[in-house]
Amino acid sequence: MEIKFTGTAAVFGDTHNPFQDQRAIREVELFLGEVQPDLIIKLGDMCDFYGLSKFDKNPERSDSLQADLNSTKQLNIRQRKMCPDSRQIQINGNHEDRMRRFLWSRSPALASLGSLTIDNLYGLTSNEIEYVEYEEGLLVNGTFLFTHGDIVRAQAGYTARSMFAKHGGCGMHGHTHRLGSYYNRNRFGLYGWWENGCLCTLKPDWIQNPDWHQGFSLVHFTYDRFWVEQIQIINRRFM
């Protein structure tokens, strides 16, 4: 998907309901309500789709998918009411893609049901949220690519470097649950890639002390330039 845009975009994702940090999300929403960004970009993995995972699952969580989807849909309803004039775009992540993979591999006869699309499950169209498929990406002004991401490296910033190596140009991604950046200058210009952090809990029940960072970004676009402002969330607070 390609758009032309001038203004401020607020970018966040990786809430992973039911593993979201509701306090951190609430602080971000209060900020959105005050700033009223021109564009809101959700980088995917808004719902974890835990029950569809191929990994070992806690039986106490295995049947919570409807509740998880309800909370994600309510997030979209709430944010639309908070920012009624903001253009909103949802980019699918690999966890949203779990639904497609599950249907195609386990229940292909159900794959055509509109009730089982991410659009319907998240209430996207009903809340005027545009929709970008996993790995398609959102290209702004022909110069800046937003995508969920499909690469994970060991250290913050390393994945941003690998995304630059894969795509070139400038862009931002989620997926790693880290904040980081990478810059590259060559004879054609200066380029940058950014990792956008997460809004899920930093204490999930399947991993101890992960190297994850809560945060989000503002990206300010003019007709031919942009400025990335990354915002760290530390102990559920930010400046």
Side-chain angles (χ1 to χ4, degrees), residues 72-120:
T72 304
K73 192 171 185 177
Q74 285 301 313
L75 178 146
N76 287 327
I77 293 171
R78 192 169 63 244
Q79 292 178 359
R80 170 49 69 197
K81 289 180 178 178
M82 286 182 169
C83 300
D85 299 322
S86 298
R87 184 177 183 180
Q88 296 194 28
I89 299 175
Q90 156 88 33
I91 299 173
N92 271 2
N94 58 298
H95 282 254
E96 279 89 10
D97 198 50
R98 281 179 175 177
M99 173 62 80
R100 179 196 61 80
R101 296 198 307 270
F102 179 85
L103 291 172
W104 286 18
S105 63
R106 303 284 189 88
S107 303
L110 302 179
S112 64
L113 294 181
S115 60
L116 296 180
T117 63
I118 296 299
D119 184 354
N120 185 69

Side-chain angles (χ1 to χ4, degrees), residues 8-13 15 24-42 46 75-88 196 199 215-220 231 233 238:
T8 295
V11 190
F12 58 89
T15 54
I25 292 172
R26 180 59 178 166
E27 295 299 322
V28 172
E29 289 179 340
L30 291 172
F31 178 81
L32 295 177
E34 183 173 329
V35 172
Q36 293 293 313
D38 306 287
L39 174 63
I40 294 175
I41 300 173
K42 302 174 185 183
M46 308 306 289
L75 178 146
N76 287 327
I77 293 171
R78 192 169 63 244
Q79 292 178 359
R80 170 49 69 197
K81 289 180 178 178
M82 286 182 169
C83 300
D85 299 322
S86 298
R87 184 177 183 180
Q88 296 194 28
N196 198 45
L199 292 178
F216 66 105
S217 299
L218 298 179
V219 186
H220 311 276
I231 302 172
I233 300 175
F238 58 89

Side-chain angles (χ1 to χ4, degrees), residues 73 76-78 80 88 122-129:
K73 192 171 185 177
N76 287 327
I77 293 171
R78 192 169 63 244
R80 170 49 69 197
Q88 296 194 28
Y122 280 11
L124 299 180
T125 298
S126 60
N127 288 289
E128 300 179 84
I129 301 172

